Amino acid sequence: MLATPPTHSAFPSPAPSSSENPKAFAASDGARRRFGAYVHFPWCLAKCPYCDFVSFVAPEIDDEGYADAVIREVEVRAGGADAGRRGRLESVFFGGGTPSLWNARDLGRVLNAVRRGFGGSAADGLETTVECNPTSLDERRAAALVDVGVTRVSIGVQSLRDDRLRFLGRLHDARGAVAAVQAALRAGVGRVSGDLIFGLPGQSPEDARDEALELVGLGLSHVSCYQLTIESGTRFGELARRGRLPLADEGAVAEAFVAIDEALTGAGLRHYEVSNYARGGHEARHNLGYWRGDEYVGLGCAAYGFERVSSAAGQRSAEACQVAGHRWRNVVTPERYVEATRAPERERVAAIQEGLEPLDAETLMRERLMLGLRIAEGIDLDRAAQDLGVPGWTPARLRAATWLEERGRIVREGPILRVPRAAWLWTDDTAARLF
Ligand code: SF4
């Protein structure tokens, strides 16, 4: 499913000792910043042929045992830090896998532990999202999620055409997708989002437009539209390698993107990120945090977390003021993860993490560019430079910006750099040229 944190391929450092990696998720420079919490639930009913997310198919899921394990992790990641140093919890995102398979009572126990540990509450407007599949979301389950504090669901509709759902290996049909969306709305979930996949072989721009319109016509306030990508290590990847997977050509994919854009913006949604549309105020705050470079605590097996640290732990020389950070990843397999959470408190973080990647300020600046250019608001380069303590407008970046501007690939408004919607398809390349 979607909305994972930005991925990275290598973790060169060995697992940290608990002294290298303080157990508390705390901003060490004392600033009160926003952050989100991501909780990974790793199981699905079946593996989709295009999926390269960490998900497992298991005959039985120990809902209670996995919730207990995540709560043990919360205890050590949240414990000890004073709330003022930690920042403000903006959002909690249950992703997967298929977290709508998780017993709502156990998901609620985890949510309570996160709120207790990190200080967020519904009264503070905490956004709490659960990714759902139509096969595991009916009105009763949606109401149970609302009861435990969930404010937003993101439903993996993917298509409203049975033949495309079969091609994607999904377990639901179009009728099931519609029923799940309607159930969530009837149950009173405050905000309901639906995912669509486009760029499928044989899909005309008119088809793409019609599906998007039908989906938003169900009453959704947020739609995510993702291009089908073929990843190595997946069943589609293997079929493509052998030349046995029909694929849409690039021109057709671009036409579908434009058709969806026209349909959804025409229906009153704002295209606020390359793949995301929302009615005013219904943007996904959790994902906006990723795109803006906010910190996030990752909980559960295979989850990534990111925390900012001041270099040299508080030594304030000119260089030491450059803010850097760490990204960690938890052990991937659920069994090893659950076992690791049973380690004594002092050793638990080191047991749970299998990698800690140090990030210098220049790396964070490149990530800010890559992610910030994905959103309509763009990136304030002066502010990012000040925040990270590195130069923003280097001579090379100025030259690249001029080159891109002349070609209509970026717009410069004072310190703000943004990609115009007409050039969003090339956002990754645009960002890379600004590195
Ligand atoms: S339901 Fe989502 S996470 Fe699970 S296999 Fe399919 S795409 Fe992957």
Side-chain angles (χ1 to χ4, degrees):
M1 294 186 73
L2 305 161
T4 52
T7 56
H8 51 107
S9 53
F11 290 89
S13 305
S17 72
S18 51
S19 62
E20 286 169 325
N21 186 35
K23 66 179 184 173
F25 180 73
S28 58
D29 66 354
R32 185 164 171 79
R33 294 188 286 251
R34 296 172 306 208
F35 73 101
Y38 173 82
V39 184
H40 193 72
F41 182 85
W43 293 284
C44 291
L45 293 177
K47 187 77 180 173
C48 302
Y50 57 89
C51 174
D52 73 338
F53 294 99
V54 175
S55 65
F56 304 93
V57 178
E60 275 185 40
I61 299 169
D62 180 2
D63 295 56
E64 194 179 341
Y66 189 67
D68 289 342
V70 177
I71 291 167
R72 286 193 290 272
E73 183 181 4
V74 172
E75 283 164 7
V76 288
R77 292 219 186 266
D82 87 49
R85 292 176 68 216
R86 193 186 297 134
R88 195 180 76 225
L89 181 66
E90 280 275 298
S91 57
V92 184
F93 194 103
F94 290 86
T98 306
S100 51
L101 290 173
W102 210 350
N103 181 316
R105 192 192 63 235
D106 289 307
L107 186 148
R109 286 199 299 125
V110 171
L111 178 58
N112 275 335
V114 169
R115 285 164 161 179
R116 260 199 321 275
F118 297 106
S121 76
D124 294 340
L126 182 73
E127 177 189 270
T128 303
T129 302
V130 176
E131 283 188 317
C132 301
N133 271 324
T135 38
S136 50
L137 188 69
D138 56 18
E139 194 172 337
R140 205 160 57 93
R141 195 176 287 252
L145 290 174
V146 172
D147 283 348
V148 299
V150 171
T151 61
R152 184 174 180 273
V153 295
S154 172
I155 303 174
V157 170
Q158 316 310 6
S159 175
L160 289 173
R161 303 287 177 271
D162 286 345
D163 56 340
R164 294 202 186 105
L165 288 166
R166 277 194 297 275
F167 173 78
L168 291 169
R170 303 290 297 184
L171 295 179
H172 62 274
D173 57 14
R175 191 192 291 203
V178 170
V181 170
Q182 291 171 335
L185 291 167
R186 271 200 310 272
V189 179
R191 293 157 60 198
V192 182
S193 176
D195 291 348
L196 275 183
I197 295 180
F198 71 95
L200 276 59
Q203 185 182 37
S204 68
E206 293 75 28
D207 285 343
R209 179 198 62 206
D210 291 349
E211 275 192 79
L213 281 178
E214 282 173 42
L215 184 59
V216 78
L218 296 174
L220 299 173
S221 57
H222 188 282
V223 179
S224 301
C225 298
Y226 298 98
Q227 179 187 340
L228 177 66
T229 53
I230 308 301
E231 309 292 346
S232 60
T234 64
R235 191 137 48 89
F236 273 4
E238 178 56 21
L239 287 171
R241 197 181 61 77
R242 302 205 313 252
R244 293 181 51 197
L245 186 72
L247 293 169
D249 69 56
E250 261 184 45
V253 174
E255 284 176 17
F257 179 85
V258 171
I260 290 169
D261 179 60
E262 287 173 1
L264 292 180
T265 53
L269 277 69
R270 192 170 76 93
H271 196 171
Y272 74 98
E273 192 268 348
V274 173
S275 305
N276 287 281
Y277 300 79
R279 298 205 185 280
H282 287 250
E283 296 82 4
R285 289 207 296 277
H286 186 81
N287 290 350
L288 276 172
Y290 294 142
W291 298 317
R292 289 174 176 158
D294 292 348
E295 294 166 284
Y296 46 92
V297 58
L299 302 161
C301 68
Y304 288 96
F306 164 59
E307 64 184 345
R308 295 266 302 276
V309 290
S310 294
S311 57
Q315 290 171 29
R316 295 259 162 190
S317 69
E319 267 177 50
C321 283
Q322 292 196 359
V323 179
H326 287 118
R327 185 171 294 114
W328 76 81
R329 190 182 203 186
N330 286 350
V331 293
V332 171
T333 57
E335 298 75 17
R336 276 191 55 219
Y337 168 77
V338 170
E339 194 49 42
T341 63
R342 296 201 173 97
E345 274 197 23
R346 242 169 10 93
E347 297 156 27
R348 199 175 299 162
V349 169
I352 291 171
Q353 285 177 186
E354 67 175 14
L356 183 75
E357 181 185 25
L359 301 162
D360 60 27
E362 285 291 351
T363 304
L364 291 181
M365 175 59 101
R366 287 196 291 276
E367 289 193 356
R368 288 273 183 100
L369 277 165
M370 178 63 87
L371 298 166
L373 289 175
R374 293 185 62 91
I375 43 181
E377 70 194 38
I379 172 171
D380 183 328
L381 203 57
D382 286 354
R383 187 181 294 177
Q386 192 183 19
D387 187 27
L388 297 170
V390 289
W393 294 104
T394 60
R397 194 165 282 145
L398 263 174
R399 276 196 303 279
T402 303
W403 188 91
L404 289 161
E405 200 173 23
E406 285 167 1
R407 285 155 183 80
R409 298 263 300 268
I410 58 163
V411 173
R412 267 195 286 181
E413 288 154 350
I416 310 278
L417 267 181
R418 61 179 180 80
V419 177
R421 270 171 52 215
W424 271 10
L425 274 177
W426 302 281
T427 298
D428 286 352
D429 177 74
T430 298
R433 287 173 190 272
L434 289 164
F435 284 175

